[in-house]
C-alpha cells in the first residue's frame, strides 16, 4: 500500500522549488565554507515523534544543502539541560523556585541519558546520509568564553531589547543557581536577582530560599551556571553564531517557534545587528493533535489531553518503535525526503495520525497544478 500526500498551495510554495531554497539568499551572499544545522532539544524526558521529526529533517536538509550548493554540511545538537526538573513555591515569600536538570541530576547522568536516548538515532541518521554531527550540553556551552563574552556584551544593551524578550513585564530572566553545595535552586522569575556590570564581568546578587542572599561573579572564563529565559538564551546563542564568518549556522526549529522567533529577531535588531546578520532559520512541520494543537506528551500523560486518533504509543516514546533504530531512521529519512522535495509538503503541519500513516507506508506525492 502506498500513502498519498496532498498539500495545499502556500506563498512559499510559489516562491520556492524545493524547501532548501530558503537558504539560497544567505548562501549566495555570504559564500560560507561550511553549513551547520543547529537543532536544540530539552532533554527533560524520552524523545517523541516531534523531536525525531525535527532531528531527522535537520540531517536530511544538511544532505540536500550539501548536494545542492556543494558546501560541506553538518548537524550540531544542543542538549538543553537547563529545563526545570522541579518547581516549588517558597512558603515564606510565595516566589517560585526551580532546579534545572543540570543541577538536579548532574552532567554525568545527563550525558549518559543523551548517549542512551539520542545518540543511537543520530548515529543511524549520520551513517545513512554521511553527515557528521556533534553534541553539546548547554552546561558546557554556557561555560565557553565565547558564550559568556557574548552575554556580557548583550546584557549591556538589555534595555533596548528587554520588551522584545519579555513583552509582558520587560524583565528577561537571568537565573544563577545558588552555589551552596547540594543546592542549585534559583528563583524562577528572578524577582530579587540584580546584575551589576563591570568592565569584564558581572556581579549577580540573588536570594536562595534555603541559604538566603548570595553573590556570583560571571566572567568570561569563570563563574556560576548561567541560565537564561528561553528567548534570551536564543538571543545570546544566535548573536554568538554571527562571529564565525566562514560558517553559516542554520537554526532548525519546530513550527511552533515561528511566533517566538519574530520577537528574537526584533531583539537582535534592537541590540545592533543588521538584517543581514539575523540568523537563518528552517522551521519544520509540527505534529498536531485532532484539535490542531501541538502534540504534547506531558498534557497526554497528565490526562489533560487525549491520545490523538490514529496515533500509536511509540509516537510519545520513540523507544517503543516496533523495529530497529536503523529502520526507524530509514523511515524518518524517507518521509523527510518527501517533505523537503516540495515546499507545499514542508511548510505546513501534520496530525499525528497522518504522520503515522506516512511512516507506515511508502509515500507518493501529489502536487495539484
Amino acid at each position: 500500500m502506498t500513502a498519498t500526500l496532498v498539500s495545499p498551495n502556500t506563498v512559499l510554495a510559489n516562491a520556492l522549488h524545493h524547501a532548501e531554497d530558503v537558504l539560497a539568499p544567505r548562501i549566495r551572499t555570504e559564500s560560507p565554507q561550511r553549513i551547520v544545522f543547529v537543532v536544540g532539544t530539552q532533554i527533560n524526558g524520552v524523545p517523541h515523534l516531534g523531536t525525531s521529526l525535527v532531528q531527522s529533517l535537520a540531517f536530511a536538509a544538511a544532505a540536500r544543502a550539501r548536494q545542492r550548493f556543494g558546501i560541506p554540511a553538518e548537524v550540531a545538537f544542543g542538549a538543553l539541560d537547563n529545563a526545570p526538573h522541579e518547581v516549588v513555591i517558597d512558603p515564606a515569600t510565595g516566589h517560585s523556585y526551580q532546579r534545572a536538570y543540570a543541577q538536579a541530576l548532574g552532567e554525568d547522568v545527563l550525558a549518559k541519558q543523551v548517549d542512551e536516548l539520542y545518540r543511537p538515532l543520530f548515529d543511524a541518521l549520520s551513517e545513512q546520509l554521511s553527515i557528521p554531527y556533534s553534541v553539546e550540553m548547554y552546561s558546557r556551552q554556557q561555560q565557553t568564553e565565547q558564550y559568556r563574552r557574548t552575554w556580557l556584551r548583550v546584557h549591556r544593551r538589555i534595555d533596548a531589547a528587554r520588551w522584545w524578550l519579555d513583552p509582558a513585564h520587560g524583565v528577561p530572566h537571568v537565573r544563577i543557581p545558588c552555589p551552596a553545595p547540594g543546592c542549585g535552586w534559583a528563583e524562577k522569575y528572578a524577582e530579587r536577582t540584580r546584575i551589576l556590570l563591570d568592565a569584564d564581568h558581572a556581579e549577580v546578587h540573588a536570594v536562595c530560599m534555603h541559604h538566603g542572599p548570595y553573590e556570583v561573579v560571571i566572567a568570561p572564563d569563570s563563574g556560576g551556571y548561567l541560565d537564561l529565559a528561553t528567548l534570551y538564551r536564543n538571543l545570546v546563542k544566535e548573536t554568538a553564531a554571527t562571529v564565525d564568518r566562514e560558517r553559516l549556522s542554520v537554526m532548525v526549529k519546530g513550527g511552533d517557534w515561528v511566533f517566538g522567533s519574530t520577537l528574537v529577531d526584533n531583539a537582535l535588531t534592537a541590540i545592533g545587528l543588521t538584517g543581514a546578520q539575523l540568523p537563518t532559520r528552517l522551521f519544520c512541520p509540527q505534529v498536531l493533535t485532532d484539535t490542531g494543537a501541538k502534540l504534547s506528551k506531558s498534557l497526554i500523560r497528565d490526562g489533560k489531553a487525549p491520545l490523538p486518533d490514529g496515533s500509536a504509543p511509540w509516537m510519545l516514546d520513540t523507544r517503543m518503535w516496533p523495529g530497529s533504530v536503523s529502520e526507524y531512521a530509514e523511515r524518518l529519512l524517507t518521509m523527510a525526503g518527501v517533505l523537503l522535495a516540495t515546499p507545499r509538503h514542508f511548510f505546513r503541519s501534520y496530525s499525528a495520525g497522518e504522520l503515522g500513516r506516512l511512516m507506515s507506508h511508502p509515500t507518493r506525492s501529489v502536487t495539484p497544478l
Side-chain angles (χ1 to χ4, degrees), residues 263-277:
L263 294 173
V264 176
D265 281 346
N266 280 288
L268 289 165
T269 303
I271 65 172
L273 270 67
T274 65
Q277 293 174 303

Side-chain angles (χ1 to χ4, degrees), residues 103-161:
Q103 282 72 48
L105 301 182
E107 189 173 333
D108 291 342
V109 172
L110 292 173
K112 183 179 179 181
Q113 181 175 310
V114 169
D115 289 344
E116 293 177 350
L117 297 180
Y118 295 95
R119 280 194 186 273
L121 178 59
F122 291 164
D123 288 341
L125 294 170
S126 177
E127 180 179 356
Q128 293 189 32
L129 295 177
S130 297
I131 292 291
Y133 77 92
S134 61
V135 175
E136 184 175 46
M137 308 289 288
Y138 177 76
S139 291
R140 294 293 180 90
Q141 184 186 49
Q142 62 85 31
Q143 287 178 336
T144 63
E145 183 174 344
Q146 181 188 26
Y147 190 91
R148 293 185 170 229
R149 286 194 183 280
T150 302
W151 175 72
L152 288 167
R153 177 162 55 92
V154 167
H155 202 74
R156 296 184 191 283
R157 301 294 311 280
I158 198 62
D159 282 345

Side-chain angles (χ1 to χ4, degrees), residues 286-296:
Q286 285 191 83
V287 186
L288 305 181
T289 64
D290 302 332
T291 67
K294 174 184 174 182
L295 181 70
S296 169

Side-chain angles (χ1 to χ4, degrees), residues 207-329:
V207 181
C208 176
M209 64 178 175
H210 298 302
H211 301 97
Y214 62 92
E215 177 184 330
V216 177
V217 175
I218 302 294
D221 58 352
S222 62
Y225 186 95
L226 182 60
D227 182 13
L228 307 176
T230 302
L231 297 181
Y232 196 4
R233 184 185 68 242
N234 276 262
L235 174 72
V236 174
K237 179 183 73 173
E238 293 175 356
T239 301
T242 64
V243 174
D244 189 346
R245 301 299 179 88
E246 297 181 350
R247 180 182 83 171
L248 174 64
S249 295
V250 178
M251 306 301 169
V252 183
K253 296 180 175 294
D256 56 320
W257 257 98
V258 170
F259 311 106
S261 292
T262 300
L263 294 173
V264 176
D265 281 346
N266 280 288
L268 289 165
T269 303
I271 65 172
L273 270 67
T274 65
Q277 293 174 303
L278 296 181
T280 302
R281 299 193 181 98
L282 190 65
F283 296 107
C284 298
Q286 285 191 83
V287 186
L288 305 181
T289 64
D290 302 332
T291 67
K294 174 184 174 182
L295 181 70
S296 169
K297 61 183 179 183
S298 59
L299 290 180
I300 295 173
R301 182 187 61 233
D302 296 341
K304 298 178 181 179
L307 195 65
D309 290 341
S311 60
W314 66 265
M315 294 182 180
L316 299 181
D317 183 347
T318 60
R319 297 174 301 178
M320 301 178 69
W321 168 261
S324 67
V325 174
S326 179
E327 181 192 32
Y328 182 55

Side-chain angles (χ1 to χ4, degrees), residues 5-22 64 68 282-283 285 336-350 365 367:
L5 179 57
V6 181
S7 297
N9 197 9
T10 65
V11 173
L12 277 180
N14 290 331
L16 310 177
H17 187 59
H18 299 291
E20 69 270 14
D21 288 343
V22 295
R64 292 178 69 93
R68 168 77 182 280
L282 190 65
F283 296 107
V338 174
L339 301 185
L340 282 163
T342 304
R344 292 188 185 193
H345 296 338
F346 189 80
F347 297 103
R348 53 162 290 188
S349 296
Y350 293 86
S365 173
T367 305

